[in-house]
Amino acid sequence: PRWAPWEPDAAAAATGDAVARSVVRDLSVVRRLGSSLAPARRLLAAVAPDVVVTNTATVPTYALVARAEGVPHVWSVREFVRPEFHYLLGEPVSQRLIGRLSATVVFNSDAVRRYFHPGVPFAKGVVVHPAVPLPDRPPERPREGTGLRLLLLGRLVATKGAGVAIEGVAAARRAGVEVSLRVVGPGAERDRRRLVSVAAEHGVADHVDIEGFDPDPGLRMRESDVVVVASDAEAFGRVTVEALRVGRPVLATRTGGSSEI
């Protein structure tokens, strides 16, 4: 008999494409991981370490090699892994590997420790807040003047919360508070334009300054009255500690490590 060619409907075609992309992605991951194992084993053989420490949650190469070579492994986890970081093996598998391949897992905040549970059992994790040296001189008081000066230090990406801070400034000014905001940090032009648009939309364009990277954030902090940390999930919050070091109060979202600090 003469068979008509099979023509899948659109849904079936889309499903097939998704499966094909998934297979290609998985094969690519296996290839990347496999190609990294041999150099890692050669390095461990040359160094002969007593302990191997992994400082990223996304790549398990050295944890796997340490297990194969019988070397104790410690995993240092200092981040909520955002989509832009990309776990090499996906989040569920990666978190379980962190727990199973490590003698100890060191977290920089209890918030991060809880985030990685139950992949990393609480009994295996330990929280070590990063050490921060005390300032060499007493904190400077902000200069006298009218108006409350807020500062937000951080990349201009949405997760750092500059848009939320701008909306807060608008709400405060509507309530009669004379307040301004300075946003300082690196970012793409599109992110800067987005924040400019948010300020204009809320009628506070004249009270919000959006600046680029500054190599001396301490000076910016001393020029401000309050430092804002509006991140939606800050693993520890270095800016929070730096602000407290120079005697500035911090207004932070109740997420991640900020509450602990």
Side-chain angles (χ1 to χ4, degrees), residues 146-148 167-180 204 207:
T146 60
L148 189 65
E167 293 179 22
V169 166
R173 293 194 68 84
R174 287 195 299 271
V177 180
E178 186 178 346
V179 58
S180 61
V204 290
H207 307 286

Side-chain angles (χ1 to χ4, degrees), residues 177-209:
V177 180
E178 186 178 346
V179 58
S180 61
L181 171 67
R182 173 183 284 175
V183 179
V184 179
E189 178 60 23
R190 66 177 181 276
D191 293 319
R192 192 193 69 81
R193 288 198 302 266
R194 174 179 56 82
L195 295 176
V196 169
S197 177
V198 172
E201 177 185 348
H202 288 83
V204 290
D206 293 337
H207 307 286
V208 175
D209 292 324

Side-chain angles (χ1 to χ4, degrees), residues 9-29:
D9 59 31
T15 301
D17 289 345
V19 171
R21 286 194 299 270
S22 177
V23 170
V24 170
R25 183 176 61 251
D26 291 345
L27 290 175
S28 174
V29 167

